[in-house]
Amino acid sequence: FRFLDKEQVYKKVYDTTPINDFLFEVSKALNPRPIQTEREKIYINSLHQRIEDCKKKLKDWPPPHKKLEKKELKPVKIEFKPPKADIEFSNIHYTISRMGFTVPKSLYDNFGVPIREKFDAMISYQWANQKLVRNIFEDLHMKNLFIWFDIWGYMEGCTYDAMATAIESSKVILVFLSNKYQESANCQLEFKYAVSRGKPFIFILVEDNINIEPWIKEHYNESLKFEIKNLEDENILDNGVARLHVIAQAIRDVGSAQIVNDHDQYELSNEAIMLKEILEDALDEIDRQNKTSRFRQCTRCKQQFDDNNLIGCRKHSAYYLGGTLIAGRWVCCGQFEKDSVGCVNTDHIDVIREWTLNQDYGTYTWEPA
Protein backbone atom coordinates (compact mmCIF):
# COMPACT_ATOMS: atom_id res chain seq x y z
CA PHE A 1 0.00 0.00 0.00
CA ARG A 2 1.18 3.49 -0.79
CA PHE A 3 -0.33 6.34 1.24
CA LEU A 4 0.49 9.85 0.02
CA ASP A 5 -1.76 12.10 2.10
CA LYS A 6 -4.97 12.09 4.13
CA GLU A 7 -7.13 12.99 1.15
CA GLN A 8 -5.83 10.07 -0.92
CA VAL A 9 -6.08 7.60 1.97
CA TYR A 10 -9.78 8.30 2.54
CA LYS A 11 -10.83 8.97 -1.06
CA LYS A 12 -13.51 6.49 -2.10
CA VAL A 13 -12.58 4.24 -5.02
CA TYR A 14 -15.81 2.71 -6.32
CA ASP A 15 -17.09 1.12 -3.11
CA THR A 16 -14.12 1.22 -0.74
CA THR A 17 -11.13 3.35 0.31
CA PRO A 18 -7.37 2.63 0.46
CA ILE A 19 -7.43 2.79 4.27
CA ASN A 20 -10.34 0.36 4.39
CA ASP A 21 -8.50 -2.11 2.15
CA PHE A 22 -5.36 -1.71 4.27
CA LEU A 23 -7.22 -2.44 7.53
CA PHE A 24 -8.87 -5.49 5.96
CA GLU A 25 -5.49 -6.92 4.96
CA VAL A 26 -4.10 -6.24 8.46
CA SER A 27 -7.07 -8.12 9.94
CA LYS A 28 -6.35 -11.07 7.65
CA ALA A 29 -2.70 -11.08 8.69
CA LEU A 30 -3.71 -11.11 12.37
CA ASN A 31 -6.07 -14.05 11.82
CA PRO A 32 -4.02 -16.47 9.72
CA ARG A 33 -5.73 -19.61 8.47
CA PRO A 34 -3.96 -22.96 8.73
CA ILE A 35 -2.08 -23.89 5.57
CA GLN A 36 -2.68 -27.31 4.02
CA THR A 37 0.21 -29.05 5.82
CA GLU A 38 -0.96 -27.71 9.21
CA ARG A 39 -4.55 -28.67 8.51
CA GLU A 40 -3.62 -32.20 7.48
CA LYS A 41 -1.43 -32.65 10.59
CA ILE A 42 -4.41 -31.77 12.81
CA TYR A 43 -6.65 -34.07 10.74
CA ILE A 44 -4.24 -37.01 11.05
CA ASN A 45 -3.98 -36.52 14.83
CA SER A 46 -7.78 -36.48 15.03
CA LEU A 47 -7.98 -39.71 13.01
CA HIS A 48 -5.44 -41.42 15.30
CA GLN A 49 -7.44 -40.39 18.37
CA ARG A 50 -10.72 -41.66 16.94
CA ILE A 51 -9.09 -44.94 15.88
CA GLU A 52 -7.79 -45.45 19.44
CA ASP A 53 -11.33 -44.89 20.76
CA CYS A 54 -12.59 -47.55 18.33
CA LYS A 55 -9.95 -50.06 19.45
CA LYS A 56 -11.42 -49.97 22.96
CA LYS A 57 -14.83 -50.98 21.61
CA LEU A 58 -13.72 -53.87 19.38
CA LYS A 59 -12.72 -57.40 20.37
CA ASP A 60 -10.30 -57.90 17.49
CA TRP A 61 -7.96 -55.54 15.72
CA PRO A 62 -7.58 -54.61 12.91
CA PRO A 63 -11.18 -54.72 11.64
CA PRO A 64 -12.00 -56.34 8.27
CA HIS A 65 -10.98 -54.00 5.48
CA LYS A 66 -13.40 -52.96 2.76
CA LYS A 67 -11.57 -51.50 -0.21
CA LEU A 68 -13.33 -48.31 -1.23
CA GLU A 69 -13.87 -47.88 -4.93
CA LYS A 70 -12.54 -44.63 -6.33
CA LYS A 71 -15.61 -42.73 -7.41
CA GLU A 72 -15.62 -40.84 -10.67
CA LEU A 73 -16.04 -37.13 -10.08
CA LYS A 74 -19.10 -36.05 -12.00
CA PRO A 75 -22.04 -33.74 -11.30
CA VAL A 76 -25.38 -35.01 -10.01
CA LYS A 77 -28.03 -34.05 -12.55
CA ILE A 78 -31.48 -32.87 -11.52
CA GLU A 79 -34.73 -31.92 -13.22
CA PHE A 80 -35.02 -28.28 -12.26
CA LYS A 81 -38.55 -27.12 -11.51
CA PRO A 82 -38.62 -23.32 -11.90
CA PRO A 83 -40.56 -21.44 -9.22
CA LYS A 84 -44.01 -20.11 -10.17
CA ALA A 85 -46.03 -17.31 -8.62
CA ASP A 86 -49.69 -16.40 -9.07
CA ILE A 87 -48.89 -13.02 -7.55
CA GLU A 88 -46.14 -11.21 -9.48
CA PHE A 89 -42.77 -11.56 -7.71
CA SER A 90 -40.41 -8.86 -8.98
CA ASN A 91 -36.78 -8.16 -8.14
CA ILE A 92 -35.23 -5.19 -6.32
CA HIS A 93 -31.63 -4.42 -7.26
CA TYR A 94 -29.25 -3.78 -4.36
CA THR A 95 -25.89 -2.08 -4.40
CA ILE A 96 -23.58 -3.30 -1.66
CA SER A 97 -20.22 -2.05 -0.49
CA ARG A 98 -17.00 -3.57 0.73
CA MET A 99 -16.71 -0.87 3.39
CA GLY A 100 -18.10 -3.18 6.04
CA PHE A 101 -15.94 -6.17 5.16
CA THR A 102 -14.82 -8.35 8.05
CA VAL A 103 -12.41 -11.25 7.86
CA PRO A 104 -14.28 -14.61 7.94
CA LYS A 105 -13.43 -16.74 10.95
CA SER A 106 -11.59 -20.01 10.44
CA LEU A 107 -14.00 -22.95 10.29
CA TYR A 108 -13.61 -26.23 12.20
CA ASP A 109 -15.55 -29.48 12.25
CA ASN A 110 -16.89 -31.08 15.43
CA PHE A 111 -13.48 -32.71 16.04
CA GLY A 112 -11.58 -29.42 15.87
CA VAL A 113 -10.19 -30.04 12.38
CA PRO A 114 -9.89 -26.92 10.18
CA ILE A 115 -12.12 -27.09 7.12
CA ARG A 116 -12.47 -25.00 4.00
CA GLU A 117 -15.19 -22.46 3.45
CA LYS A 118 -17.87 -23.86 1.16
CA PHE A 119 -19.55 -21.71 -1.48
CA ASP A 120 -22.95 -22.07 -3.12
CA ALA A 121 -21.33 -21.07 -6.41
CA MET A 122 -18.20 -19.70 -7.99
CA ILE A 123 -18.46 -16.98 -10.63
CA SER A 124 -16.46 -17.65 -13.80
CA TYR A 125 -16.41 -14.74 -16.28
CA GLN A 126 -14.36 -12.65 -18.67
CA TRP A 127 -13.44 -9.22 -17.35
CA ALA A 128 -15.14 -7.31 -20.19
CA ASN A 129 -18.44 -8.18 -18.48
CA GLN A 130 -17.35 -7.33 -14.94
CA LYS A 131 -19.87 -4.51 -14.35
CA LEU A 132 -22.87 -6.72 -15.23
CA VAL A 133 -21.42 -9.66 -13.29
CA ARG A 134 -20.90 -7.48 -10.25
CA ASN A 135 -24.53 -6.29 -10.32
CA ILE A 136 -25.81 -9.86 -10.47
CA PHE A 137 -23.41 -10.92 -7.72
CA GLU A 138 -24.75 -8.16 -5.45
CA ASP A 139 -28.34 -9.34 -5.89
CA LEU A 140 -27.45 -13.01 -5.35
CA HIS A 141 -25.50 -12.00 -2.24
CA MET A 142 -28.60 -10.26 -0.87
CA LYS A 143 -30.50 -13.54 -1.26
CA ASN A 144 -28.14 -15.19 1.22
CA LEU A 145 -26.21 -17.05 -1.47
CA PHE A 146 -22.53 -17.48 -0.60
CA ILE A 147 -20.79 -16.75 -3.90
CA TRP A 148 -17.06 -16.76 -4.70
CA PHE A 149 -16.24 -13.66 -6.76
CA ASP A 150 -12.60 -12.80 -7.47
CA ILE A 151 -12.81 -9.05 -6.83
CA TRP A 152 -14.78 -9.48 -3.62
CA GLY A 153 -11.97 -10.28 -1.22
CA TYR A 154 -11.45 -13.97 -2.00
CA MET A 155 -8.43 -13.78 -4.31
CA GLU A 156 -5.43 -14.65 -2.13
CA GLY A 157 -1.90 -15.79 -2.98
CA CYS A 158 -1.17 -17.41 -6.35
CA THR A 159 -3.97 -16.72 -8.85
CA TYR A 160 -4.09 -20.30 -10.14
CA ASP A 161 -4.12 -21.78 -6.63
CA ALA A 162 -6.89 -19.38 -5.57
CA MET A 163 -9.00 -20.32 -8.60
CA ALA A 164 -8.44 -24.04 -8.03
CA THR A 165 -9.44 -23.73 -4.37
CA ALA A 166 -12.54 -21.73 -5.34
CA ILE A 167 -13.64 -24.42 -7.80
CA GLU A 168 -12.99 -27.24 -5.33
CA SER A 169 -14.92 -25.42 -2.59
CA SER A 170 -17.97 -24.50 -4.68
CA LYS A 171 -21.06 -26.60 -5.36
CA VAL A 172 -21.89 -24.92 -8.69
CA ILE A 173 -19.92 -22.98 -11.31
CA LEU A 174 -21.86 -19.96 -12.58
CA VAL A 175 -20.47 -19.22 -16.06
CA PHE A 176 -21.13 -15.82 -17.63
CA LEU A 177 -20.77 -16.92 -21.22
CA SER A 178 -19.64 -14.70 -24.07
CA ASN A 179 -17.50 -15.10 -27.16
CA LYS A 180 -14.62 -13.42 -25.31
CA TYR A 181 -15.02 -15.94 -22.47
CA GLN A 182 -14.40 -18.78 -24.92
CA GLU A 183 -11.40 -16.96 -26.43
CA SER A 184 -9.76 -16.48 -23.02
CA ALA A 185 -7.04 -18.99 -22.16
CA ASN A 186 -7.55 -18.40 -18.42
CA CYS A 187 -11.33 -18.92 -18.66
CA GLN A 188 -10.78 -22.12 -20.63
CA LEU A 189 -8.26 -23.39 -18.06
CA GLU A 190 -10.67 -22.55 -15.23
CA PHE A 191 -13.59 -24.26 -16.99
CA LYS A 192 -11.67 -27.44 -17.78
CA TYR A 193 -10.45 -27.74 -14.20
CA ALA A 194 -14.07 -27.49 -13.00
CA VAL A 195 -14.96 -30.31 -15.42
CA SER A 196 -12.15 -32.46 -13.98
CA ARG A 197 -13.52 -31.85 -10.48
CA GLY A 198 -16.99 -32.99 -11.52
CA LYS A 199 -18.69 -29.62 -10.96
CA PRO A 200 -22.13 -28.74 -12.41
CA PHE A 201 -22.52 -25.58 -14.49
CA ILE A 202 -25.21 -22.93 -14.84
CA PHE A 203 -24.72 -20.63 -17.84
CA ILE A 204 -25.68 -16.95 -17.98
CA LEU A 205 -25.69 -15.79 -21.59
CA VAL A 206 -24.57 -12.16 -21.62
CA GLU A 207 -24.73 -11.42 -25.36
CA ASP A 208 -26.41 -12.48 -28.62
CA ASN A 209 -24.93 -14.74 -31.30
CA ILE A 210 -22.60 -16.75 -29.07
CA ASN A 211 -20.80 -19.41 -31.09
CA ILE A 212 -20.46 -22.37 -28.70
CA GLU A 213 -16.96 -23.84 -29.01
CA PRO A 214 -16.43 -27.64 -29.08
CA TRP A 215 -14.59 -27.70 -25.73
CA ILE A 216 -17.63 -26.29 -23.93
CA LYS A 217 -20.50 -27.61 -26.07
CA GLU A 218 -21.21 -30.91 -24.28
CA HIS A 219 -21.45 -29.25 -20.87
CA TYR A 220 -23.41 -26.32 -22.31
CA ASN A 221 -26.02 -28.66 -23.81
CA GLU A 222 -26.45 -30.54 -20.50
CA SER A 223 -26.70 -27.49 -18.24
CA LEU A 224 -29.27 -24.88 -17.27
CA LYS A 225 -29.08 -21.66 -19.27
CA PHE A 226 -30.47 -18.16 -18.67
CA GLU A 227 -30.17 -14.92 -20.65
CA ILE A 228 -29.18 -11.72 -18.84
CA LYS A 229 -27.60 -9.14 -21.12
CA ASN A 230 -28.17 -6.10 -18.92
CA LEU A 231 -29.38 -5.24 -15.42
CA GLU A 232 -32.98 -4.80 -16.58
CA ASP A 233 -33.08 -8.45 -17.71
CA GLU A 234 -33.01 -9.50 -14.04
CA ASN A 235 -36.66 -8.39 -13.91
CA ILE A 236 -37.94 -10.43 -16.87
CA LEU A 237 -40.82 -12.50 -15.48
CA ASP A 238 -40.70 -16.26 -16.00
CA ASN A 239 -43.98 -17.80 -14.73
CA GLY A 240 -44.57 -14.65 -12.68
CA VAL A 241 -41.10 -14.74 -11.07
CA ALA A 242 -38.24 -12.34 -11.83
CA ARG A 243 -35.43 -14.14 -13.68
CA LEU A 244 -32.87 -13.27 -11.00
CA HIS A 245 -34.95 -15.20 -8.44
CA VAL A 246 -35.19 -18.18 -10.83
CA ILE A 247 -31.40 -18.22 -11.20
CA ALA A 248 -30.95 -18.04 -7.42
CA GLN A 249 -33.30 -21.02 -6.99
CA ALA A 250 -31.43 -22.95 -9.69
CA ILE A 251 -28.14 -22.41 -7.84
CA ARG A 252 -29.69 -23.72 -4.61
CA ASP A 253 -31.42 -26.73 -6.19
CA VAL A 254 -28.46 -27.84 -8.31
CA GLY A 255 -26.03 -27.25 -5.43
CA SER A 256 -28.08 -29.14 -2.84
CA ALA A 257 -28.13 -32.22 -5.09
CA GLN A 258 -24.33 -32.47 -5.20
CA ILE A 259 -22.48 -34.83 -2.89
CA VAL A 260 -20.30 -32.83 -0.49
CA ASN A 261 -17.60 -34.65 1.49
CA ASP A 262 -16.52 -33.66 5.01
CA HIS A 263 -12.95 -33.41 3.71
CA ASP A 264 -11.65 -33.12 0.16
CA GLN A 265 -10.30 -36.58 -0.61
CA TYR A 266 -8.25 -35.46 -3.59
CA GLU A 267 -6.08 -33.16 -1.49
CA LEU A 268 -5.28 -35.63 1.31
CA SER A 269 -1.97 -37.45 1.64
CA ASN A 270 -1.79 -41.24 1.34
CA GLU A 271 -1.34 -41.47 5.14
CA ALA A 272 -4.53 -39.50 5.80
CA ILE A 273 -6.51 -41.53 3.26
CA MET A 274 -5.27 -44.81 4.80
CA LEU A 275 -6.20 -43.70 8.34
CA LYS A 276 -9.63 -42.51 7.18
CA GLU A 277 -10.29 -45.93 5.63
CA ILE A 278 -9.20 -47.70 8.86
CA LEU A 279 -11.56 -45.47 10.87
CA GLU A 280 -14.46 -46.24 8.51
CA ASP A 281 -13.70 -49.98 8.77
CA ALA A 282 -13.65 -49.75 12.57
CA LEU A 283 -16.93 -47.83 12.76
CA ASP A 284 -18.60 -50.31 10.39
CA GLU A 285 -17.35 -53.25 12.51
CA ILE A 286 -18.66 -51.62 15.71
CA ASP A 287 -22.06 -51.29 14.03
CA ARG A 288 -21.93 -54.94 12.93
CA GLN A 289 -21.02 -56.23 16.40
CA ASN A 290 -23.64 -54.11 18.16
CA LYS A 291 -26.27 -54.64 15.44
CA THR A 292 -26.74 -50.90 15.14
CA SER A 293 -26.32 -48.23 12.48
CA ARG A 294 -24.40 -45.05 13.14
CA PHE A 295 -26.07 -43.29 10.21
CA ARG A 296 -29.19 -41.21 10.67
CA GLN A 297 -31.30 -39.24 8.22
CA CYS A 298 -31.37 -35.49 8.59
CA THR A 299 -34.97 -34.33 9.03
CA ARG A 300 -34.08 -31.05 7.36
CA CYS A 301 -32.16 -31.99 4.18
CA LYS A 302 -32.85 -35.78 4.12
CA GLN A 303 -29.15 -36.66 3.79
CA GLN A 304 -27.53 -39.49 5.75
CA PHE A 305 -25.08 -38.39 8.46
CA ASP A 306 -23.28 -39.65 11.55
CA ASP A 307 -21.32 -38.11 14.41
CA ASN A 308 -18.23 -37.99 12.18
CA ASN A 309 -19.99 -35.81 9.63
CA LEU A 310 -22.41 -33.40 11.31
CA ILE A 311 -21.61 -30.41 9.12
CA GLY A 312 -23.15 -29.72 5.74
CA CYS A 313 -26.80 -28.80 6.35
CA ARG A 314 -28.68 -25.53 5.81
CA LYS A 315 -31.49 -23.77 7.66
CA HIS A 316 -33.50 -20.60 7.15
CA SER A 317 -32.38 -17.62 9.21
CA ALA A 318 -35.73 -15.81 9.30
CA TYR A 319 -39.43 -16.58 8.79
CA TYR A 320 -41.95 -17.37 6.06
CA LEU A 321 -44.39 -14.60 5.14
CA GLY A 322 -47.29 -13.98 2.76
CA GLY A 323 -49.29 -16.07 0.37
CA THR A 324 -52.36 -13.81 -0.08
CA LEU A 325 -51.55 -10.15 -0.75
CA ILE A 326 -47.92 -10.92 -1.63
CA ALA A 327 -46.28 -14.07 -2.94
CA GLY A 328 -45.43 -16.39 -0.04
CA ARG A 329 -41.70 -16.45 0.59
CA TRP A 330 -38.90 -16.84 3.10
CA VAL A 331 -37.88 -13.34 4.16
CA CYS A 332 -34.23 -14.35 4.53
CA CYS A 333 -33.70 -15.57 0.95
CA GLY A 334 -36.90 -15.11 -1.10
CA GLN A 335 -37.56 -18.83 -1.70
CA PHE A 336 -41.21 -19.83 -2.20
CA GLU A 337 -41.46 -23.37 -0.87
CA LYS A 338 -41.83 -23.81 2.89
CA ASP A 339 -39.52 -26.86 2.81
CA SER A 340 -37.00 -25.23 0.44
CA VAL A 341 -33.23 -25.49 0.92
CA GLY A 342 -32.05 -23.35 3.84
CA CYS A 343 -29.77 -20.36 3.33
CA VAL A 344 -27.28 -20.45 6.24
CA ASN A 345 -24.91 -23.24 7.29
CA THR A 346 -25.78 -25.47 10.22
CA ASP A 347 -25.33 -29.05 11.48
CA HIS A 348 -27.56 -31.97 10.55
CA ILE A 349 -30.36 -32.95 12.97
CA ASP A 350 -32.63 -35.97 13.32
CA VAL A 351 -35.42 -34.57 15.51
CA ILE A 352 -38.99 -34.13 14.27
CA ARG A 353 -39.67 -30.60 13.01
CA GLU A 354 -43.04 -28.83 12.97
CA TRP A 355 -44.37 -26.04 10.73
CA THR A 356 -45.33 -23.43 13.32
CA LEU A 357 -47.50 -20.32 13.06
CA ASN A 358 -46.63 -17.25 15.11
CA GLN A 359 -50.11 -15.97 16.04
CA ASP A 360 -48.84 -12.48 16.91
CA TYR A 361 -47.24 -11.77 13.53
CA GLY A 362 -48.89 -14.23 11.14
CA THR A 363 -45.52 -15.65 10.14
CA TYR A 364 -44.34 -19.26 9.95
CA THR A 365 -41.12 -21.06 10.88
CA TRP A 366 -39.90 -24.60 11.29
CA GLU A 367 -39.39 -25.61 14.92
CA PRO A 368 -36.61 -26.45 15.48
CA ALA A 369 -35.28 -24.35 12.59
Side-chain angles (χ1 to χ4, degrees), residues 13 17 92 124 159 212 262 309 325 335:
V13 180
T17 63
I92 299 173
S124 180
T159 300
I212 307 302
D262 54 344
N309 190 20
L325 296 177
Q335 295 186 80

Side-chain angles (χ1 to χ4, degrees), residues 215-253:
W215 59 270
I216 205 171
K217 193 165 189 176
E218 177 186 351
H219 308 285
Y220 176 84
N221 291 338
E222 294 178 346
S223 304
L224 292 172
K225 295 169 278 289
F226 302 91
E227 287 188 4
I228 295 189
K229 296 163 190 167
N230 52 61
L231 188 58
E232 289 70 33
D233 285 353
E234 287 190 352
N235 296 310
I236 294 174
L237 295 180
D238 299 321
N239 297 313
V241 182
R243 185 162 296 172
L244 195 280
H245 288 285
V246 179
I247 293 171
Q249 193 61 54
I251 292 171
R252 295 186 199 280
D253 289 359

Side-chain angles (χ1 to χ4, degrees), residues 6 181 212 304:
K6 185 175 181 180
Y181 180 93
I212 307 302
Q304 296 290 316

Side-chain angles (χ1 to χ4, degrees), residues 24-35 38 103-108 114 156:
F24 181 76
E25 292 300 326
V26 170
S27 296
K28 280 202 299 189
L30 292 173
N31 294 277
R33 300 188 182 201
I35 60 175
E38 295 171 335
V103 178
K105 295 180 180 178
S106 295
L107 303 177
Y108 299 86
E156 297 180 7

Side-chain angles (χ1 to χ4, degrees), residues 16-17 45 94 105 140 158-159 184:
T16 185
T17 63
N45 289 339
Y94 294 90
K105 295 180 180 178
L140 293 174
C158 169
T159 300
S184 166

